[in-house]
Amino acid sequence: MKKITSAILFCCLITILSGCGNSEEKASSSTNTEEQANKKENAKLPSTVFESNKNKETISKSEIHKSIQKYLDTNERVYSVTSTIEEKVWDEKPLTKKEAAQLEKGQALLKKNDQNFSVYIENNKLPEGYQKETNRVSEYFTAYNQTIEQLGNSVQKIEKETKNGSISTKEIKDIMPEKSKVNGRQQAKIEKFLKKINVKSNAFEM
């Protein structure tokens, strides 16, 4: 999931004014890009998702922090795999059957993760001041994950119709997350909340 910022024009201006920059900065940037590419290439789907058997219990701050962290970490690990596949779809590049299978498995993990976390925060008493913001976290990522589910369903439908090993993605268009729940304002509120409770996540950066 890529963060959209208002600093793009500013960055472009800085690039024009600064020219090519020095070789050390270039080398550092190139290294970081390569590291990120290697990390994505070697990314694997998680074997577990968020789970809890608690019902009608009072959850401590420490526990809800750990629960949110597990929920977000699971999303992040799935995104590390699915984001690469999503990029190919948006660029209308064909997918392999292996990528289609990864997308299908990823969407199943995200759906289970969302459902388990949603039931957990709904059926238990969270610390004072946590319910609204934790619901926001759940709704934001659930809405985004539903987009991945739609994408996966479209790929599966096309895969059934294809006769070779390459799956065309040119027919997949206009699949977008629910704007009322997935937008910059909601993201900013979530990031502020996570920072306040000291929960770290790169899920927004995938």
Side-chain angles (χ1 to χ4, degrees):
M1 187 186 307
K2 295 185 177 178
K3 184 185 294 184
I4 300 174
T5 70
S6 60
I8 294 176
L9 291 176
F10 176 76
C11 291
C12 291
L13 179 60
I14 291 297
T15 301
I16 293 171
L17 293 176
S18 62
C20 295
N22 61 54
S23 58
E24 289 184 3
E25 290 177 340
K26 277 188 174 183
S28 176
S29 176
S30 177
T31 300
N32 290 337
T33 301
E34 289 177 5
E35 287 178 353
Q36 290 176 356
N38 290 335
K39 187 176 180 181
K40 276 192 172 185
E41 186 177 345
N42 298 321
K44 295 182 180 179
L45 292 169
S47 57
T48 61
V49 298
F50 173 82
E51 291 182 329
S52 176
N53 294 322
K54 293 202 169 183
N55 185 42
K56 297 181 179 179
E57 296 187 33
T58 299
I59 307 300
S60 68
K61 286 186 178 182
S62 175
E63 183 175 352
I64 190 61
H65 290 180
K66 291 177 182 178
S67 298
I68 294 172
Q69 187 73 69
K70 173 63 177 178
Y71 173 67
L72 294 177
D73 285 349
T74 301
N75 275 331
E76 184 180 334
R77 288 190 62 189
V78 175
Y79 294 159
S80 67
V81 175
T82 60
S83 62
T84 302
I85 301 172
E86 287 179 77
E87 287 172 7
K88 291 186 69 174
V89 174
W90 307 147
D91 291 337
E92 296 187 351
K93 294 179 180 179
L95 301 181
T96 64
K97 290 187 178 293
K98 180 181 178 181
E99 288 171 329
Q102 285 182 314
L103 190 60
E104 182 179 359
K105 184 176 180 181
Q107 76 179 51
L109 290 170
L110 290 174
K111 191 169 186 177
K112 186 176 181 182
N113 195 46
D114 288 333
Q115 289 175 340
N116 291 352
F117 188 70
S118 177
V119 169
Y120 167 74
I121 63 176
E122 181 180 344
N123 292 351
N124 292 287
K125 183 179 180 181
L126 305 190
E128 185 176 352
Y130 276 70
Q131 191 70 57
K132 181 179 179 180
E133 294 306 320
T134 306
N135 283 342
R136 192 194 309 277
V137 171
S138 177
E139 290 174 0
Y140 182 102
F141 285 99
T142 297
Y144 181 80
N145 293 342
Q146 286 171 351
T147 305
I148 297 179
E149 182 177 8
Q150 292 176 45
L151 181 64
N153 291 340
S154 296
V155 169
Q156 290 172 45
K157 182 178 179 181
I158 295 172
E159 183 182 7
K160 290 178 181 178
E161 300 171 356
T162 189
K163 295 181 180 179
N164 54 38
S166 182
I167 304 167
S168 174
T169 61
K170 291 184 178 181
E171 299 174 33
I172 304 175
K173 297 178 181 179
D174 303 325
I175 299 178
M176 297 294 291
E178 189 177 339
K179 291 182 180 179
S180 63
K181 294 178 180 177
V182 182
N183 57 56
R185 180 178 296 180
Q186 295 298 326
Q187 179 179 320
K189 290 179 179 179
I190 291 171
E191 290 185 303
K192 183 179 180 180
F193 171 63
L194 297 180
K195 184 177 181 179
K196 181 180 178 181
I197 65 175
N198 196 31
V199 169
K200 296 178 174 60
S201 173
N202 292 321
F204 288 114
E205 308 293 342
M206 303 310 296

